[in-house]
Amino acid sequence: SLREVIGIRSHFDQVERKEKIISLREHIKELPEQSQKILMLYYIEELRLSEIAQLFNLSDGRISQILSHSIISLRAKFQTSD
């Protein structure tokens, strides 16, 4: 039935999502420690750039650069691992 097909697809989607999360965690661990902390503070703790900048004694612009560089690096690693 259609429900069974949707259920199977939903299960595959969940498995695929979990695999991507595991992969993302592994790739994040490969980043410099400072980048890891900044990503966590920005995306998990939801601090503003200015708040993170104060914690690291860096400018907002530098924090933005580190975030951008980290995202670019993670995207590249995901593309090569697919």
Side-chain angles (χ1 to χ4, degrees):
S1 77
L2 183 57
R3 287 179 193 223
E4 290 172 348
V5 171
I6 292 171
I8 290 170
R9 185 67 205 147
S10 174
H11 175 70
F12 287 132
D13 290 343
Q14 289 175 354
V15 170
E16 186 177 341
R17 184 173 185 272
K18 285 180 184 177
E19 289 173 355
K20 286 183 179 181
I21 290 170
I22 290 168
S23 179
L24 177 60
R25 285 182 180 154
E26 290 171 359
H27 291 317
I28 289 172
K29 288 179 184 177
E30 296 172 6
L31 293 172
E33 186 176 344
Q34 183 182 49
S35 298
Q36 292 178 41
K37 289 178 181 179
I38 290 171
L39 282 168
M40 182 196 72
L41 291 170
Y42 188 74
Y43 288 105
I44 306 299
E45 300 296 326
E46 298 182 352
L47 295 182
R48 294 187 312 262
L49 293 178
S50 60
E51 294 170 315
I52 299 169
Q54 287 178 352
L55 290 172
F56 285 89
N57 199 27
L58 298 170
S59 69
D60 295 10
R62 182 65 185 127
I63 297 299
S64 180
Q65 284 178 331
I66 292 168
L67 280 172
S68 296
H69 208 330
S70 299
I71 301 276
I72 289 168
S73 177
L74 290 171
R75 281 187 186 145
K77 289 178 182 189
F78 259 100
Q79 288 175 351
T80 58
S81 67
D82 284 347

